[in-house]
Every structure is written in structure tokens, then in C-alpha cells.
Amino acid sequence: MKRRYLTAAGMMVCLCLLGGCGQQNVDFIMDEEEQAENPFEREEGELETTVMGTISHGVLWGDNSTYCLTYEGGEMEIPYFMQGSGIARNCGFLVFLDGIPQPYKVKGTDTGYRYMHLFELEENKDENHIIQFMPVTGKEGEKLSVCITSITNPEFMPDMKDSFSYGHSHKAMEAVYPILFQAAAGQDQKLTEKANEINREAIRNLTQEEMETDQDFIKKLSEETGAEITNLDKDVQTRLYVSEQSMLLKETADLSGKETIHIKYIIMGHPGAEYKTVFYLNHEPLTYNGKDSFLSVLKSGQADVIEFDLNAAELENTTFYAVSVPCNSADYPDDVLMMNKSNSVLFYRGGE
């Protein structure tokens, strides 16, 4: 089990790893200080916290004591539970297979194949669903990983009048499981194309290059957060820039007068770790030359840099973010390779 605590401002994440088999749990906590009319008048030690919501989700293993999923051909089914309270009851789920976006459906619903399905959970009540999909990749004999990621309140967008950030919305938490392929993936290419119908080929001029890093570069990245980066042999750092502005704290980008908007994404850290990065518009993966995920093999002293332009013509009131999913966590059993989601960014037009 994994538990994360987030302040209401979404600025700090404290991670505590506990024993468990993939079930994930996250608490959203608001300091009383953030609600106080004048927090500076409080005596030391009086500060309290309020839990704004919790979410947990994971595979229903049943009699499976191996804690490894098995694909035997045809459509795969994963029995899955989810529980939410407070602000986390409204949630959506993304699925990645070997870091590749996986369209799926929920058994018993008429929503068909999508990259994200939305749920309105009952307060503190376990809900069981069956996730169904045709794997997008996988050969007989391979053992890959499936990453099932919850996104809190995914339909929320700042209106730039009363709200200017996503706050607790769009926070992500992943659960990762191994899948042993006893048969080759039977993915129907037409199915993937149909799931991508909503998506536009919005990306232009994509490049992906390795860049040497030095202490000045690391110091500059550290200054963006105010926290020193010290352990890149074990940690993974990512940065998203929109029009050269860091999106670590900023969550909006004004498109006024722009035909394109430039995106830069940096991932670096744990040598040998393999990550696939997916870029999303309104929870739909973007594609470039038929690819919807971009592999980075991390190396010591280097950063992987992905840059591209986005066609801004249809981006007004659009949510954009990046997700990097580890693909070879099993190679590093003593380390914790985490999924990384950037802040969500609102594209809007404020001066037109």
C-alpha cells in the first residue's frame, strides 16, 4: 500500500511506502492554516488538518496467490476495486501497458473502448468493476507491466474567472502489476484507430535528444522548486515547459495571438530506468508519426529532452499534461521507480 499526503495548494507531496500487493491509497489533506482567516494569529501547536478526500484502488486477486496477471489470448479482463471519499469520489482511470496508452472498456457499461472512463464513487464504499481490453503489445513468453492510474476530478478546468489552477484536481496515483503473456497480443489495429478518433495529429516537428548535464544545469532545476536535487542515481526528475516557462508551479498558458505553442519535456535520473512518456489533450493521448508514447532510457550525466510544437488553432479551453511510466521496474527490485505526471496545464485565450 502506498499513501500520499498533499497540501491543498498541491505544492508538497510526502510519500510513505508500506507493505502490500499493489493496492494504492491516497489522502488529500488541507491544513487548517489554509482555511483560517488569519493563520498568523494561531498559537504554535494549534495547527490542525482536515482530510478532504481519499481514494484507493487495486486488483481483486481472488484465489491468485502469485500476484501476477496472466494473458491467455482474446480480450483480457482484470477484476478491479476502487473506493473514494470526499473530493476523490469523482475520478477517472488511465491504463498503460508497457508504458503505452491502452484503450479499455468497463464490463457491463455501454461506453465502449476509451482511454479514460469516469466514475462517481459512493462515499467510502468499495465498488468492483471489470476492466476489459485487447492488449496493444505483448509477445508470448513476455512479462510486461500494466499501470492503472487514477486521476482525481478529471473533468475540472479552471475558468480563469473564479479559478486559476487545478488545485487538488488532476492528481494522479498509480497501481502497477506484472502481466505474463501466455499468448501473443491480439490487438486489432482498427480498434486502436477508432479509440483515437477524437485525437488530432496536433504535434509538429517533434525531436528527441540526449543532453549532457552538469552542476549548473542541476542547480537551475533545483532552483525551480527550492529543493536541492541530490540523488539522481535513484530518483527520477521530470520537467515540463510551455513556451519556455516551467509548469512546476504555473498551470495556465495564454494562446492569444499564437498559431503554435512550443513544448519541452525533460526526464532524467536513475541510470538504466526505461520510461515511456505520453502527452495528453483532454485525457486523450497525442500521436506523432503513428506513435503515442516516447521511450527514454535514462543514463548517468544525461537528460532526455523531447520537444515539439502544438497546433494552437483548436486548443482553447484544453487541458494538457504529460505522463511518464516506468517499463522495467522489475529490473530494480530494491528501488522505487514511480510514474510521473506533470501538472495539468490549461490552454486558454485571454487577450482575444
Side-chain angles (χ1 to χ4, degrees):
M1 181 182 295
K2 180 169 56 186
R3 186 178 298 269
R4 293 178 182 175
Y5 300 91
L6 296 93
T7 70
M11 299 280 290
M12 181 192 305
V13 178
C14 300
L15 194 63
C16 178
L17 296 176
L18 306 175
C21 299
Q23 175 182 331
Q24 305 299 307
N25 176 270
V26 63
D27 292 348
F28 299 89
I29 293 178
M30 175 180 285
D31 289 341
E32 185 177 305
E33 177 180 346
E34 296 174 27
Q35 304 177 72
E37 196 168 309
N38 188 354
F40 300 103
E41 294 180 354
R42 292 192 175 276
E43 297 293 333
E44 185 176 355
E46 285 188 358
L47 188 63
E48 297 180 2
T49 60
T50 300
V51 176
M52 300 175 65
T54 65
I55 187 169
S56 60
H57 55 87
V59 167
L60 291 166
W61 291 109
D63 296 331
N64 184 345
S65 60
T66 67
Y67 302 111
C68 179
L69 300 166
T70 302
Y71 177 68
E72 299 176 343
E75 191 169 58
M76 183 164 187
E77 294 190 347
I78 301 179
Y80 209 74
F81 85 90
M82 50 193 75
Q83 183 191 92
S85 68
I87 64 171
R89 291 190 303 111
N90 185 320
C91 58
F93 284 83
L94 301 171
V95 177
F96 304 87
L97 182 56
D98 194 36
I100 301 171
Q102 173 67 66
Y104 70 99
K105 60 184 179 180
V106 180
K107 192 171 185 177
T109 68
D110 58 359
T111 52
Y113 275 89
R114 295 180 179 176
Y115 285 101
M116 174 179 278
H117 288 261
L118 304 177
F119 297 87
E120 185 67 39
L121 305 177
E122 293 189 39
E123 186 78 14
N124 285 322
K125 181 179 178 181
D126 274 4
E127 294 190 16
N128 299 336
H129 298 277
I130 296 178
I131 295 173
Q132 298 175 303
F133 59 85
M134 296 290 290
V136 292
T137 188
K139 299 177 182 178
E140 184 176 356
E142 276 191 315
K143 182 180 280 189
L144 302 177
S145 63
V146 60
C147 175
I148 302 175
T149 300
S150 60
I151 305 290
T152 303
N153 198 15
E155 294 184 297
F156 175 79
M157 288 185 187
D159 61 15
M160 301 308 293
K161 295 179 181 178
D162 299 319
S163 57
F164 299 89
S165 74
Y166 288 84
H168 276 301
S169 297
H170 293 230
K171 300 304 179 185
M173 184 190 69
E174 79 277 17
V176 181
Y177 306 95
I179 296 183
L180 176 62
F181 280 76
Q182 295 183 347
Q187 173 66 16
D188 183 347
Q189 184 61 31
K190 291 183 178 179
L191 177 62
T192 301
E193 292 173 356
K194 183 176 181 181
N196 266 309
E197 282 178 351
I198 304 174
N199 191 18
R200 304 173 295 277
E201 282 274 1
I203 295 180
R204 301 174 179 175
N205 308 319
L206 185 142
T207 62
Q208 185 171 2
E209 298 177 346
E210 292 180 341
M211 179 184 69
E212 297 290 335
T213 60
D214 56 24
Q215 288 304 311
D216 288 340
F217 179 78
I218 301 300
K219 181 179 179 181
K220 182 178 179 181
L221 292 187
S222 298
E223 289 172 350
E224 292 181 358
T225 61
E228 186 178 2
I229 298 173
T230 59
N231 193 15
L232 287 175
D233 286 337
K234 296 292 184 181
D235 296 336
V236 174
Q237 293 280 331
T238 63
R239 295 289 190 274
L240 175 66
Y241 300 88
V242 176
S243 297
E244 303 303 325
Q245 286 193 316
S246 172
M247 293 294 118
L248 272 177
L249 303 180
K250 186 176 173 60
E251 295 183 337
T252 59
D254 190 349
L255 304 183
S256 299
K258 297 179 180 178
E259 296 182 359
T260 62
I261 191 163
H262 190 71
I263 306 296
K264 180 166 70 173
Y265 187 76
I266 296 174
I267 181 168
M268 59 188 294
H270 194 300
E274 297 179 4
Y275 275 78
K276 288 179 183 172
T277 299
V278 184
F279 299 97
Y280 284 88
L281 284 180
N282 289 343
H283 312 297
E284 293 287 329
L286 288 169
T287 60
Y288 183 76
N289 289 341
K291 294 174 58 177
D292 53 15
S293 63
F294 304 92
L295 174 65
S296 299
V297 180
L298 305 188
K299 299 177 182 177
S300 180
Q302 290 187 334
D304 205 42
V305 183
I306 304 171
E307 293 192 70
F308 56 88
D309 295 319
L310 272 178
N311 178 8
E314 300 180 41
L315 294 185
E316 185 175 5
N317 298 327
T318 302
T319 294
F320 173 80
Y321 57 86
V323 177
S324 292
V325 180
C327 300
N328 64 337
S329 299
D331 294 342
Y332 302 97
D334 296 329
D335 300 330
V336 181
L337 297 181
M338 303 292 296
M339 181 210 73
N340 285 268
K341 176 189 174 294
S342 72
N343 280 344
S344 290
V345 178
L346 177 72
F347 293 142
Y348 75 103
R349 298 186 186 276
E352 298 180 358

